[in-house]
Amino acid sequence: MNILVIGSLNMDLVMEVEKIPKLGETVFGKNFKTVHGGKGANQALAAAKLGANVKMIGAVGKDVFGESLKNNLKNNSVDVSKVENIGLTSGTALITVYQGDNSIILEQGANFKLSAEHINKNEKLFEWADTIIMQLEIPVDVVMTAAKKGKELGKYVILNPAPAQKLPCEIFKYVDALIPNEHEAEQLLGYEITEKTCVNAIDEFKRKGCEQVIITLGEKGCIYNNKDFISVGKIYRTDVIDTTAAGDSFVAAYAIAIGEGKSIEEAIKFASCTSSIVVNRKGASTSLPTRKEVETRLNEK
Ligand code: RIB
């Protein structure tokens, strides 16, 4: 299947900490690494490793990180011929990992220089694709233009609204599958996502125009609708070492499974299994599993 990812490429500067610093405080970190990341690039790479043909539209800077970010995708069979070198700096993410969980500060750099023009001049890629995947580390108007184009051409449009941002209401009617985590859903809707409110949250996104909504809940699994029926997807238990890219791998795996004709339940199982492998490894692109690894883990259960 053919997947077009429109999104970010970042260089992740990662350090593990035993204490989260307060304002004005210095703490020691360890195991510093630079890792290829960015939600868009992670989703593109995850999809390629799971067996899809993947092309990407994005932007990197004319700095040392730019070529390295592109090469990492190219070496994993992602077509980056439409990832342009614009501006001075590539996207850069400062990531601290504390007890397996991460916090991220992102400088969007070149990612933010993408424009609707990059979408319009690459219409052929939209025609080629079966599925379009986007996130929100690029300008919202670019996501809007791409979602509209994808929908007009009858493609399956997936939006992972991460990190959460204010979105024009119109965008939801161009989205076939919306995959936020609970924090992003909270910010988009303006209320806390709890066991009581999540059914309402899914209904509200559906009323806005999304057919399929999956709210991921970290170690609690996810909640999703199958038409009007709402269910809870369980996670695969594992030792959590680093949650970076867990959400990205979930989105890519879900896209592949749905594209291959699996049911929503099967797709969620495949996606959860994929991200359970990711959280057991360190880093973003470095933690993404191959199709064989996911299938082996699926068969163990
Ligand atoms: O989802 C994980 C990604 O978010 C990291 O790779 C980092 O670049 C940030 O964009």
Side-chain angles (χ1 to χ4, degrees):
M1 68 172 303
N2 295 344
I3 295 187
L4 172 61
V5 177
I6 301 153
S8 58
L9 301 92
N10 301 328
M11 191 58 88
D12 294 350
L13 311 181
V14 189
M15 223 187 270
E16 294 166 31
V17 290
E18 272 159 24
K19 183 173 188 279
I20 298 174
K22 295 196 200 88
L23 208 57
E25 187 187 19
T26 302
V27 298
F28 289 111
K30 60 178 182 184
N31 296 334
F32 174 75
K33 279 193 185 61
T34 51
V35 185
H36 299 100
K39 294 187 196 303
N42 295 341
Q43 292 176 14
L45 186 46
K49 288 187 87 168
L50 293 172
N53 304 313
V54 186
K55 294 183 195 266
M56 186 165 180
I57 297 177
V60 292
K62 293 176 185 158
D63 56 359
V64 279
F65 291 157
E67 279 315 297
S68 175
L69 285 163
K70 278 170 60 167
N71 284 337
N72 185 51
L73 290 179
K74 215 188 290 174
N75 295 339
N76 285 284
S77 310
V78 176
D79 179 344
V80 288
S81 55
K82 303 300 174 198
V83 175
E84 297 193 22
N85 294 67
I86 332 176
L88 291 178
T89 53
S90 297
T92 311
L94 298 181
I95 304 187
T96 46
V97 180
Y98 171 73
Q99 294 186 344
D101 226 332
N102 64 56
S103 43
I104 303 179
I105 302 174
L106 175 65
E107 147 75 76
Q108 285 162 305
N111 296 305
F112 217 60
K113 298 222 179 295
L114 264 189
S115 69
E117 194 201 321
H118 292 102
I119 302 304
N120 293 330
K121 72 180 180 190
N122 285 311
E123 182 144 352
K124 282 216 161 61
L125 266 63
F126 283 77
E127 284 160 7
W128 166 87
D130 302 305
T131 298
I132 319 280
I133 306 181
M134 290 168 293
Q135 332 71 34
L136 296 178
E137 290 182 336
I138 56 173
V140 169
D141 69 307
V142 177
V143 177
M144 176 76 162
T145 308
K148 196 169 176 189
K149 192 173 286 296
K151 191 72 175 180
E152 276 165 9
L153 291 168
K155 309 300 175 169
Y156 190 74
V157 177
I158 300 181
L159 176 61
N160 169 220
Q165 306 209 29
K166 241 187 168 331
L167 292 175
C169 212
E170 190 195 342
I171 202 166
F172 296 104
K173 68 176 181 218
Y174 306 127
V175 173
D176 292 292
L178 183 77
I179 313 183
N181 67 22
E182 73 257 59
H183 309 295
E184 290 143 8
E186 276 171 19
Q187 287 188 47
L188 288 171
L189 296 175
Y191 53 83
E192 204 186 338
I193 303 298
T194 62
E195 269 178 43
K196 277 195 184 142
T197 61
C198 56
V199 173
N200 189 48
I202 290 182
D203 280 343
E204 200 170 331
F205 284 128
K206 280 175 67 192
R207 277 198 302 276
K208 287 175 189 285
C210 308
E211 197 173 302
Q212 185 62 50
V213 182
I214 304 163
I215 303 179
T216 58
L217 305 166
E219 71 211 9
K220 287 191 237 100
C222 65
I223 174 146
Y224 63 97
N225 68 296
N226 187 349
K227 298 209 171 70
D228 290 333
F229 195 65
I230 293 180
S231 312
V232 177
K234 301 268 179 318
I235 60 148
Y236 279 74
R237 292 264 155 233
T238 190
D239 291 332
V240 177
I241 291 177
D242 178 356
T243 55
T244 312
D248 301 331
S249 60
F250 184 98
V251 172
Y254 177 80
I256 296 213
I258 289 291
E260 288 175 355
K262 291 192 170 59
S263 68
I264 287 164
E265 281 73 19
E266 283 173 321
I268 287 193
K269 196 170 161 198
F270 184 73
S272 305
C273 181
T274 303
S275 41
S276 77
I277 298 175
V278 170
V279 299
N280 190 237
R281 297 174 177 172
K282 288 186 183 181
S285 56
T286 43
S287 66
L288 302 169
T290 60
R291 179 79 182 223
K292 198 158 173 242
E293 287 172 317
V294 177
E295 274 164 5
T296 305
R297 181 141 165 80
L298 273 172
N299 291 333
E300 280 167 6
K301 296 282 147 183

